[in-house]
Amino acid sequence: MTLKELQALIDRMYSGKDRARGSPATFLWLVEEVGELAAAIAEGTQAEKAGEFADVLTWLTTLANVEGIDLTEAVRAKYGTGCPGCGEFVCECETKVVLSPGK
Ligand SMILES: [Mg+2]
Ligand SMILES: [Zn+2]
């Protein structure tokens, strides 16, 4: 499954509910799932971790749908030509790049 296929699948599955709920409430669900991922990483099985990664990716994707963001295009635009910090495909930044919306 490609990212584009995932976004289309999640759109079909959840966009009706998620548009009705709105972005702020949908964002809270995403944050809750991020918390569940943190717990799974700390003390979960590989299967539990996999499930929580899937949940976080799905909530992030559905939020992108509500906001009208094409994730494939967004990732391609920001990372498709190299690291946003140094421009290299194998990052040579001294420290982790601080990714800001304006960058
Ligand atoms: Mg979960
Ligand atoms: Zn870099």
Side-chain angles (χ1 to χ4, degrees):
M1 187 187 297
T2 66
L3 183 53
K4 196 168 276 295
E5 288 166 346
L6 171 68
Q7 192 160 6
L9 172 70
I10 298 304
D11 187 49
R12 186 167 80 237
M13 216 175 269
Y14 295 119
S15 277
K17 284 183 180 176
D18 292 341
R19 289 208 167 83
R21 182 191 302 113
S23 289
T26 301
F27 182 81
L28 288 180
W29 277 103
L30 169 62
V31 172
E32 181 168 320
E33 292 297 343
V34 170
E36 291 179 7
L37 176 59
I41 287 172
E43 56 191 17
T45 64
Q46 283 299 98
E48 288 165 344
K49 290 177 199 174
E52 297 306 335
F53 272 105
D55 286 345
V56 169
L57 184 57
T58 295
W59 280 100
L60 183 69
T61 301
T62 205
L63 185 58
N65 284 335
V66 172
E67 287 293 313
I69 300 297
D70 181 326
L71 286 174
T72 302
E73 287 307 312
V75 173
R76 180 180 290 142
K78 191 150 191 182
Y79 294 93
T81 57
C83 169
C86 64
E88 300 297 328
F89 278 101
V90 177
C91 176
E92 295 177 357
C93 295
E94 287 295 317
T95 58
K96 186 178 176 188
V97 179
V98 178
L99 299 171
S100 64
K103 221 172 173 188

